[in-house]
Amino acid sequence: MYLERLFEHPRHVEFQVLGDRNGGPVHLFERDCSVQAPATRKSSREAPAPALERSQVNAVADRIAAIVREIGYDISHGRNAG
C-alpha cells in the first residue's frame, strides 16, 4: 500500500529569475500554470497568480533570488558560474 497526501486544489506556480555575472539576480515574479485545456493538455499561464497573496509571492520571489545569488548562478551562460 502506498499513501500520499491529497491536495484537492493544487496550483502549479512558476517563478522566473534572471542572474548576471555580478551576482545580481532579480525575480520577474510568478505565473500560474495550473489550468490546462482538456483537448490539447496545454497549460495557460496567468500572471499574477490569482491564488497567492502578494506577501507570499514577495517572500518566495525574494528567497529564490537569494538562493540564485548564494549558488552564483550566471544566467548569461545558462550554467553555474562557480
Side-chain angles (χ1 to χ4, degrees):
M1 178 183 286
Y2 180 77
L3 297 177
E4 189 174 275
R5 184 174 181 179
L6 171 66
F7 294 98
E8 292 192 30
H9 302 287
R11 307 301 301 177
H12 173 149
V13 178
E14 298 177 352
F15 284 78
Q16 294 182 337
V17 179
L18 295 178
D20 61 21
R21 292 182 183 174
N22 300 315
V26 294
H27 52 78
L28 302 177
F29 291 98
E30 85 293 356
R31 61 185 181 190
D32 189 329
C33 305
S34 301
V35 178
Q36 287 189 344
T40 62
R41 302 292 296 164
K42 291 185 178 182
S43 63
S44 63
R45 289 158 177 82
E46 185 175 359
L52 296 177
E53 297 292 329
R54 296 319 300 163
S55 60
Q56 291 175 306
V57 169
N58 290 332
V60 172
D62 289 343
R63 183 62 188 134
I64 291 170
I67 291 169
V68 169
R69 187 178 310 106
E70 289 169 17
I71 65 172
Y73 190 77
D74 177 1
I75 195 71
S76 66
H77 289 100
R79 60 181 167 75
N80 188 329

